[in-house]
Amino acid sequence: MKRIYLDYAATTPIHSEVVKAMLPYFTEAFGNPSSIHSYGQEAKGSIEEARVKVADLIGARSEELVFTSGGTEADNFAIKGIAFANESKGNHIITSSVEHHAVIETCQFLERRGFRVTYLPVDEYGLVDLDDVKKAITDKTTLISVMHASNEMGTIEPIAEIGRIAKEAEIYFHTDAVQTVGHIPVDVNKLGVDLLSMSAHKLYGPKGVGALYIRKGTKLTPFIHGGEQERRRRASTENVPGIVGFGKAAELAQHEMGEEVKRLTYLRDQLIKGLLERIDHTRLNGHPLKRLPNNINISADFVEGESMLLNLDLEGICASTGSACSSSSLEASHVLLALGLSHEQAHGSLRFSLGKWTTEEEIERVLDVLPRVVAKLRAMSPLLKSHR
Amino acid sequence: MRDVWSLYSDKVMEHFKNPRNVGEIENPDGIGHVGNPVCGDIMELYIKVNNNTIVDARFKTFGCGAAIATSSMVTEMVKGKSIEEALEISNRAVAEALDGLPPIKMHCSVLAEEALKSAIEDYCAKSKRRNNECK
Ligand code: FES
């Protein structure tokens, strides 16, 4: 059976040109960038080239970029780095209630160490309210961190507007842009961010590499102590093949983004429209328009997400869910609950995320299979009759 | 959003794909209705009893793959059993009959055991009202 991968928000396959660019750095160009000899300098040069390419993708200067082991590390680095370096100024952080675990858990860690954190609520579409941001600011606030777009429900937050508020209040502003960089235009100056997290494996690059953009002049504590790599901000011998791959992926994304946004938005809307038409008692989660071009998140009433996923998987379709049953903590997605969904609605949520190799036929197949899966599960659902 | 079903046994998958005894029984002798406090799922179990023997069992379940498979299995296991025998069926026995469950999914089999007990309790309460004995 031909499998259909619709979980690109979880991870993407590596582009063949990216693999090709990486390969020499595993073997002949294996040098340590810190070495003075030609092997070292060759590796060093390749890292700096990659840095320029990634910086170009987000309108930054290359010296403002620190490579990390991924998006999670970039989030940890930004939040702890600002919190610790600016402790003398204050101990208050503002974030949202729909952030990725990498941000939420980091904030909770800081709370246990005496910091204060405000988790901004969101409206039914997942949007943060600008007035709430303004009201949350105190003279002790040192950081605002709001994600650019949600990995789960796809809503794109008003980052540029929050950026203006942060700037006026002279508070550092971080955004987790793991889902947007390489997918929609991202410009650190237009967004007005001081820190921005990204990850290579969400844009057809390798796993294990990401980056944190740090605006020049930003005061933050180094993340890993040791050698002099990354201008002493993050010690550790660089992941040279990974960084080269990230650079290549960024370059490709920049070329292809315009067309991809149009193509994916069309497919996304086909799938949303089709599912809402063909399955009754279904709702779209997240904002209908301010939304990632590749994200579809729906809730079907009376059915549970894991059993839907399992049935889809049996038909070769790979998606994901925010159901409590499929999480290792057995808790429903905090993002869906923040939208005001009931536990049962969060239970019945499904996320499809599209990508470079998604075709119209694949969308058609989902539209054919999912209504049957939902009907099968509804026939055995004890919740249904009370709604008849 | 972690996948857990890669750990499901073939038997679990078989019962998940083709669940036995789905649905309700008209005029059942006992109905069990239980909710899972861990993840919030719901199971309903219907039994038909004749001469102290469970002659039919059906279920409706809102829950994960393991919840559906254990519902299906428990209805299979109780058929033909006496009330006393049925009361001895533990969640472990249901899980074992399915060649095991991932540890994180054991609570789903508890739901099956409780639904069965609750259906039998309902049956006993009804029989007592009719002044019949329920052992
Ligand atoms: S029923 Fe929720 S985890 Fe099994």
Side-chain angles (χ1 to χ4, degrees):
Chain A
M1 179 168 42
K2 207 177 143 260
R3 287 191 298 171
I4 298 178
Y5 185 76
L6 294 174
D7 203 12
Y8 285 86
T11 193
T12 59
I14 309 185
H15 198 295
S16 57
E17 285 188 45
V18 171
V19 177
K20 216 163 87 197
M22 289 170 71
L23 281 178
Y25 294 91
F26 288 105
T27 50
E28 62 261 36
F30 64 88
N32 184 329
S34 299
S35 303
I36 299 295
H37 50 63
S38 61
Y39 280 100
Q41 289 320 296
E42 186 178 26
K44 178 97 187 126
S46 68
I47 289 182
E48 294 318 312
E49 263 175 50
R51 203 186 302 276
V52 171
K53 288 177 187 162
V54 177
D56 270 355
L57 183 61
I58 59 166
R61 284 182 297 191
S62 63
E63 64 270 22
E64 296 174 305
L65 223 64
V66 171
F67 287 114
T68 65
S69 68
T72 292
E73 184 189 315
D75 285 340
N76 270 264
F77 186 5
I79 296 167
K80 289 178 204 163
I82 292 288
F84 292 147
N86 298 278
E87 232 177 320
S88 59
K89 277 212 264 161
N91 65 345
H92 180 230
I93 296 166
I94 299 170
T95 187
S96 86
S97 48
V98 292
E99 297 298 311
H100 190 274
H101 282 295
V103 168
I104 298 233
E105 298 269 332
T106 304
C107 286
Q108 287 170 350
F109 163 78
L110 289 172
E111 278 184 292
R112 290 193 293 273
R113 314 211 118 208
F115 286 85
R116 279 209 322 108
V117 180
T118 302
Y119 300 91
L120 299 170
V122 292
D123 69 9
E124 58 178 316
Y125 298 117
L127 288 169
V128 164
D129 184 306
L130 298 177
D131 279 331
D132 286 344
V133 178
K134 283 186 205 149
K135 274 187 250 154
I137 295 174
T138 72
D139 55 355
K140 293 267 184 288
T141 310
T142 56
L143 175 70
I144 301 174
S145 176
V146 176
M147 73 199 318
H148 192 188
S150 167
N151 52 312
E152 277 193 61
M153 40 107 184
T155 299
I156 301 172
E157 299 291 345
I159 296 304
E161 289 81 349
I162 300 172
R164 279 196 283 278
I165 296 170
K167 185 157 193 196
E168 205 171 295
E170 294 181 20
I171 296 168
Y172 287 126
F173 181 33
H174 165 249
T175 191
D176 174 338
V178 164
Q179 293 293 334
T180 52
V181 169
H183 295 278
I184 59 173
V186 171
D187 183 305
V188 290
N189 293 315
K190 285 189 191 140
L191 293 177
V193 293
D194 301 303
L195 303 120
L196 180 142
S197 303
M198 46 197 143
S199 168
H201 77 101
K202 310 285 189 183
L203 52 127
Y204 311 101
K207 294 174 182 61
V209 58
L212 179 66
Y213 158 78
I214 307 167
R215 187 177 292 278
K216 196 165 179 263
T218 302
K219 215 175 121 197
L220 90 168
T221 306
F223 190 66
I224 299 180
H225 300 90
E228 311 218 334
Q229 295 90 352
E230 301 296 293
R231 303 173 164 245
R232 299 201 70 102
R233 291 193 132 149
R234 197 239 186 217
S236 177
T237 298
E238 297 88 340
N239 169 5
V240 180
I243 290 170
V244 169
F246 192 4
K248 187 69 192 178
E251 185 187 320
L252 292 170
Q254 204 157 18
H255 288 142
E256 294 172 7
M257 195 188 307
E259 277 305 307
E260 264 308 87
V261 168
K262 272 187 249 158
R263 194 181 74 86
L264 291 177
T265 305
Y266 170 76
L267 292 177
R268 176 196 74 186
D269 292 342
Q270 290 287 101
L271 185 51
I272 293 174
K273 200 168 136 264
L275 290 177
L276 296 184
E277 268 169 18
R278 293 186 198 189
I279 311 173
D280 58 1
H281 289 99
T282 325
R283 59 168 272 168
L284 175 71
N285 298 318
H287 199 284
L289 301 170
K290 292 173 187 163
R291 179 176 202 96
L292 287 170
N294 73 336
N295 174 292
I296 294 101
N297 189 317
I298 60 149
S299 281
D301 290 345
F302 321 123
V303 288
E304 190 279 322
E306 190 206 283
S307 48
M308 278 195 280
L309 278 198
L310 205 41
N311 273 303
L312 285 174
D313 197 40
L314 290 171
E315 304 260 5
I317 299 170
C318 306
S320 89
T321 173
S323 164
C325 299
S326 80
S327 89
S328 44
S329 62
L330 293 173
E331 277 163 32
S333 147
H334 66 285
V335 176
L336 298 179
L337 296 181
L339 299 184
L341 263 67
S342 67
H343 262 270
E344 273 158 25
Q345 285 169 323
H347 249 123
S349 71
L350 271 186
R351 181 191 70 183
F352 299 98
S353 44
L354 320 181
K356 208 187 274 298
W357 291 283
T358 306
T359 63
E360 205 153 353
E361 291 79 70
E362 291 182 338
I363 299 296
E364 273 305 317
R365 175 119 173 90
V366 177
L367 287 174
D368 178 43
V369 171
L370 188 58
R372 277 192 274 128
V373 166
V374 171
K376 178 183 171 192
L377 291 171
R378 280 183 177 168
M380 63 174 98
S381 171
L383 294 174
L384 194 52
K385 58 174 177 261
S386 47
H387 290 263
R388 268 197 201 130
Chain B
M1 294 200 186
R2 198 163 309 156
D3 299 351
V4 282
W5 63 74
S6 51
L7 299 165
Y8 285 153
S9 69
D10 291 347
K11 200 88 168 257
V12 171
M13 287 309 293
E14 210 278 305
H15 274 262
F16 173 75
K17 271 193 260 180
N18 305 301
R20 333 287 201 256
N21 311 313
V22 175
E24 298 168 22
I25 294 177
E26 254 184 76
N27 306 318
D29 295 312
I31 307 178
H33 181 109
V34 291
N36 190 332
V38 183
C39 59
D41 294 316
I42 297 165
M43 187 183 296
E44 270 179 14
L45 200 118
Y46 302 79
I47 50 171
K48 192 99 199 149
V49 185
N50 219 335
N51 280 333
N52 200 41
T53 301
I54 298 177
V55 291
D56 198 7
R58 292 185 175 272
F59 78 92
K60 283 203 148 183
T61 291
F62 169 79
C64 72
I68 290 171
T70 50
S71 306
S72 165
M73 181 51 92
V74 82
T75 52
E76 284 288 272
M77 287 167 78
V78 295
K79 278 203 234 171
K81 291 229 161 61
S82 69
I83 295 293
E84 295 77 16
E85 288 167 337
L87 280 171
E88 308 245 294
I89 296 175
S90 68
N91 75 303
R92 300 214 153 263
V94 179
E96 267 160 37
L98 287 166
D99 293 341
L101 286 171
I104 193 176
K105 294 291 185 180
M106 277 310 281
H107 71 273
C108 315
S109 64
V110 174
L111 196 64
E113 179 190 322
E114 284 176 354
L116 173 60
K117 297 232 152 94
S118 140
I120 293 176
E121 261 167 45
D122 182 49
Y123 161 71
C124 286
K126 278 180 190 154
S127 333
K128 277 198 190 115
R129 253 177 271 137
R130 281 186 246 114
N131 284 324
N132 287 341
E133 226 183 305
C134 171
K135 289 166 255 175

